[in-house]
């Protein structure tokens, strides 16, 4: 089993308790422990099997549309005063980075003999990706989605249904992503023998944070090569790599390609969901990480205009990267995000999802610091799903405005 | 403070089947503390006191609802423990909550707060064997029994380790699922009880899904006792009074005494 070598590579394997530094672990009901152990063993076995790797890569290529391109933003670079590159995860099948992880997990679940996937979703992107993989591989799929998100992402609910998935509304707590995770975990506790929990980010109990990151390393690996090509031999690595952070999967994917370079890595959280920013450790959904909570340890509700980042926790590896100072975490407000959303649309003809618009919003805010540098942003998804919500906000619709915190 | 394990073993030796009803700390909002003495006098042998947590992943809709009502009305761990320390039920009380509340308070402080409130044990359903070490050591030192859950999905080798680490009693998970009432006793309730009885001399108490006196009696053909939670709380959520909840506990007692 892998054991963390403190002097070893950043973003290497977790230790044999599933920890990155002091974060991570496997805090799940006893009923789920054997399933987590089984998944860990199956993942390790598959990930070191060239046959599985080939199948995964082929599926990403032939079905997922990889590699995703890298786009240089000439107009916006001029406007902001630094060189901007986008890793175009928005151009993947189903419109976001989420498909990488989901295809990996669905192939693995199938290999393990599971017949059903259960998943949680916030924005609906992970739910749509899960529904898609289930359709492709002939598996059943159930997706839990908070009631608030069902409303603001109605189009994705219908997409999942079209794909043959049963969407269940999570009515407890804040009725957003956190509660969808609770419901998916409860469902998994009761169906663990036949069902694989297809978790959508680098969170949850070991091996999820590690496994999900591994399925997304394709983002960082491609980006590293593309940067080298674009930037040339003398300076093949961007100065700064930026990604939005909900649970942190797209960030983990792109960071993994640059962790061993001297590129600065910046994760951007929503101001109302800045778990790393608040620096208080806690345990929820299977791992120890930074967690928004009150003085007693009750988990607080996150607030973000973007359903995909509306989460009070963060993946344990990000807590570790923050701890050792390898990555830094910044936050932006909903208003700044809406401005960035419109800015990229207007200047480059690319409508981003609200989630990666957080990354761009920070870049706009930090433009003095970034002047003259080369900055790579992981454009984790496209904005189609958000257009109706943004329109309603810009039109001043009171209900849509109520999802905003200035 | 009464030692949980000794107390339960003594009762078991007298031929009694053990009844552990559950109380949500903070539901019904003002009246819940009276359930503690009420359940004791109705024949409870120990009791689980739930300290509500915002994200109870092992709980079904009934306990979730009671917890969220309690939280919405200001329940917090300190208030629950203060109220408990004022009760005098004459039977051991076991805190039932989720690990983050313990982690946030700090292991040492959480253990000493339980001691101060007169409690004897703790159940943390999201703290499995591999993660329980630090807390359990601290709890042992303070004299708080860390009850471990034993699930039907574990193999015997694992169950054996779980039994070894368990203090007070072994909590056999009666079904593959979360808390909540079921029309029939799950087959896995009897099979986990049998497996555990073969592995340990500690009290084997089955919980999750035990819904009425008949089911309680059925599982106690093998097990040493039962935990009953949702079936009690649901009666009050449906509009029943605390007296009716106490009467239901008396009925559970009668069911067990018929074994
Ligand atoms: C496009 C997009 N980016 C980012 C996220 C946030 O997830 P993560 O932080 O795991 O990348 C989501 C989640 O729904 C998303 O849809």
């Amino acid at each position: 089993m892998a054991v963390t070598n403190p002097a070893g590579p950043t973003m290497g394997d977790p230790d044999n308790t599933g920890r990155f530094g002091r974060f991570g672990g496997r805090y799940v009901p006893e009923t789920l422990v054997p399933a987590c152990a089984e998944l860990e063993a199956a993942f390790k076995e598959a990930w070191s099997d060239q046959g599985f790797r080939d199948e995964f890569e082929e599926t990403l290529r032939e079905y997922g549309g990889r590699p995703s391109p890298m786009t240089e933003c000439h107009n916006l670079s001029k406007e902001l005063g630094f060189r901007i590159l986008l890793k175009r995860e928005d151009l993947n099948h189903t419109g976001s980075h989420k498909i990488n992880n989901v295809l990996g997990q669905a192939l693995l679940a199938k290999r393990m003999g599971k017949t059903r996937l259960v998943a949680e979703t916030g924005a609906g992107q992970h739910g749509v990706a899960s529904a898609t993989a289930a359709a492709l591989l002939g598996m059943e799929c159930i997706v839990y989605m908070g009631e608030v998100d069902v409303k603001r992402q109605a189009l994705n609910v219908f997409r999942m249904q079209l794909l043959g998935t049963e969407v269940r509304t999570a009515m407890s707590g804040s009725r957003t992503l956190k509660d969808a995770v609770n419901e998916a975990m409860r469902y998994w506790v009761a169906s663990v023998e036949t069902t694989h929990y297809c978790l959508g980010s680098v969170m949850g109990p070991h091996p999820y944070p590690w496994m999900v990151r591994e399925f997304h390393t394709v983002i960082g690996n491609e980006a590293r090569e593309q940067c080298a090509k674009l930037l040339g031999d003398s300076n093949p690595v961007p100065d700064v790599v930026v990604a939005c952070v909900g649970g942190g999967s797209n960030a983990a994917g792109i960071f993994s390609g640059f962790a061993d370079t001297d590129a600065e890595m910046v994760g951007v959280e929503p101001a109302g969901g800045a778990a790393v920013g608040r620096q208080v450790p806690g345990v929820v959904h299977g791992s120890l990480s930074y967690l928004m909570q009150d003085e007693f340890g009750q988990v607080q509700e996150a607030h973000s205009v973007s359903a995909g980042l509306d989460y009070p926790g963060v993946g344990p590896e990000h807590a570790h990267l923050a701890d050792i100072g390898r990555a830094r975490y910044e936050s932006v407000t909903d208003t700044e995000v809406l401005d960035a959303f419109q800015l990229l649309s207007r200047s480059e003809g690319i409508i981003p999802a609200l989630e990666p618009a957080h990354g761009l919003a920070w870049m706009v805010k930090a433009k003095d610091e970034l002047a003259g540098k080369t900055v790579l942003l992981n454009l984790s998804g496209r904005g189609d799903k958000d257009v109706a919500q943004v329109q309603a906000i810009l039109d001043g619709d009171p209900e849509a405005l109520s999802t905003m915190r200035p | 403070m009464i030692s949980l394990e000794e107390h339960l073993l003594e009762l078991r030796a007298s031929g009694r089947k053990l009844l552990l009803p559950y109380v949500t700390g903070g539901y019904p909002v003002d009246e819940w503390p009276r359930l503690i003495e009420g359940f004791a006098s109705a024949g409870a042998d120990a009791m689980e006191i739930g300290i509500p947590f915002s994200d109870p992943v092992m709980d079904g809709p009934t306990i979730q609802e009671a917890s969220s009502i309690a939280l919405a009305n200001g329940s917090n761990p300190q208030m629950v423990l203060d109220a408990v320390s004022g009760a005098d039920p004459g039977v051991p009380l076991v805190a039932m909550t989720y690990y983050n509340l313990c982690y946030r308070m700090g292991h040492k402080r959480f253990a000493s707060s339980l001691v101060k409130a007169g409690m004897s044990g703790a159940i943390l359903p999201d703290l499995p064997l591999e993660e329980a070490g630090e807390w359990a050591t601290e709890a042992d030192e303070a004299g708080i029994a860390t009850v471990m859950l034993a699930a039907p999905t574990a193999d015997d080798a694992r169950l054996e380790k779980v039994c070894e680490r368990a203090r007070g009693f072994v909590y056999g998970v009666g079904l593959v699922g979360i808390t909540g009432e079921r029309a029939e006793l799950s087959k896995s309730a009897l099979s986990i009880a049998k497996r555990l009885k073969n592995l340990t001399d500690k009290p084997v108490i089955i919980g999750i899904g035990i819904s009425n006196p008949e089911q309680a009696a059925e599982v106690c053909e093998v097990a040493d006792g039962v935990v009953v939670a949702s079936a009690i709380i649901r009666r009050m959520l449906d509009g029943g009074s605390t007296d009716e909840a106490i009467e239901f506990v008396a009925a559970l007692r009668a069911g067990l005494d018929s074994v």
Side-chain angles (χ1 to χ4, degrees), chain A residues 179-227:
Chain A
D179 311 284
V181 176
N182 288 340
E183 292 300 344
M185 283 189 90
R186 289 180 185 122
Y187 180 87
W188 193 35
V189 169
S191 65
V192 59
E193 279 128 345
T194 54
T195 303
H196 172 72
Y197 182 14
C198 188
L199 230 170
S201 192
V202 286
M203 48 192 241
H206 180 53
Y208 284 99
W210 173 46
M211 177 177 72
V212 174
R213 182 198 78 197
E214 289 296 291
F215 288 144
H216 280 303
T217 52
V218 62
I219 305 173
N221 293 340
E222 284 176 12
R224 179 80 175 263
E225 252 186 70
Q226 290 164 323
C227 282

Side-chain angles (χ1 to χ4, degrees), chain A residues 17 19 22 24-34 172-173 178-179 181-183 185-193 280-285 288 291 293-300, chain B residues 51-60 64 71 75-78 99-105 125-131 148-155 158-159 162 173 175-178:
Chain A
T17 69
R19 279 173 171 72
R22 61 191 172 109
R26 183 179 284 160
Y27 297 86
V28 290
E30 177 62 24
T31 307
L32 292 179
V33 172
S172 54
K178 152 178 106 75
D179 311 284
V181 176
N182 288 340
E183 292 300 344
M185 283 189 90
R186 289 180 185 122
Y187 180 87
W188 193 35
V189 169
S191 65
V192 59
E193 279 128 345
V280 185
V283 174
V284 80
H285 298 153
L288 170 63
L291 175 65
Q293 55 190 307
D294 71 10
E295 57 182 309
F296 298 110
Q298 308 291 0
V299 181
Q300 283 171 330
Chain B
I51 305 177
F53 178 55
S54 53
D55 296 81
V57 291
M58 258 307 276
D59 286 306
Q64 279 179 51
L71 287 171
S75 175
N76 68 50
Q78 204 46 60
Y99 179 57
N100 197 50
L101 300 190
C102 163
Y103 179 80
R104 185 71 210 258
M105 198 184 277
D126 58 345
L127 193 68
L129 193 60
E130 290 76 4
E131 304 291 355
M148 300 298 289
L149 272 68
T153 49
D155 60 20
R158 183 173 178 85
L159 286 185
V162 167
V173 177
L175 47 79
V176 178
I178 55 176

Side-chain angles (χ1 to χ4, degrees), chain A residues 95-98 121-126 177 200-202 244-251 307-309 353 355-356 380-382 385:
Chain A
S96 80
H97 71 291
K98 298 281 182 188
T121 196
Q125 291 304 93
H126 175 62
L177 182 53
S201 192
V202 286
C244 64
V245 174
S249 66
N250 86 87
L309 303 184
E355 291 82 11
S380 57
R382 65 178 183 227
K385 69 180 173 62

Side-chain angles (χ1 to χ4, degrees), chain A residues 224 237-238 241 257-265 326:
Chain A
R224 179 80 175 263
V237 170
V241 178
F258 298 92
D260 66 343
T261 71
D262 54 11
E264 187 174 11
M265 308 200 298
R326 179 60 191 92

Side-chain angles (χ1 to χ4, degrees), chain B residues 102-192:
Chain B
C102 163
Y103 179 80
R104 185 71 210 258
M105 198 184 277
H107 294 153
K108 212 179 194 82
R109 228 183 97 212
F110 189 67
S112 67
S113 301
L114 295 185
V115 171
K116 229 190 297 170
M119 301 190 94
S120 308
I123 305 171
L124 301 167
D126 58 345
L127 193 68
L129 193 60
E130 290 76 4
E131 304 291 355
E134 280 180 37
W135 154 253
T137 307
E138 205 68 69
D140 283 350
E141 233 160 78
I144 291 294
T146 299
V147 174
M148 300 298 289
L149 272 68
T153 49
D155 60 20
D156 277 357
R158 183 173 178 85
L159 286 185
E160 203 171 334
K161 282 189 235 162
V162 167
C163 289
E164 207 171 293
R165 181 50 262 184
R167 301 287 181 273
F169 61 92
V170 179
Y171 190 134
V173 177
L175 47 79
V176 178
I178 55 176
T179 62
E181 290 173 276
R182 307 293 196 281
E184 280 174 42
L185 186 70
S186 163
K187 279 198 196 82
S188 71
L190 283 169
S191 74
I192 188 73

Side-chain angles (χ1 to χ4, degrees), chain A residues 31 144 146 149 165 212 264 360:
Chain A
T31 307
Y144 285 92
D149 297 334
T165 278
V212 174
E264 187 174 11
L360 183 62

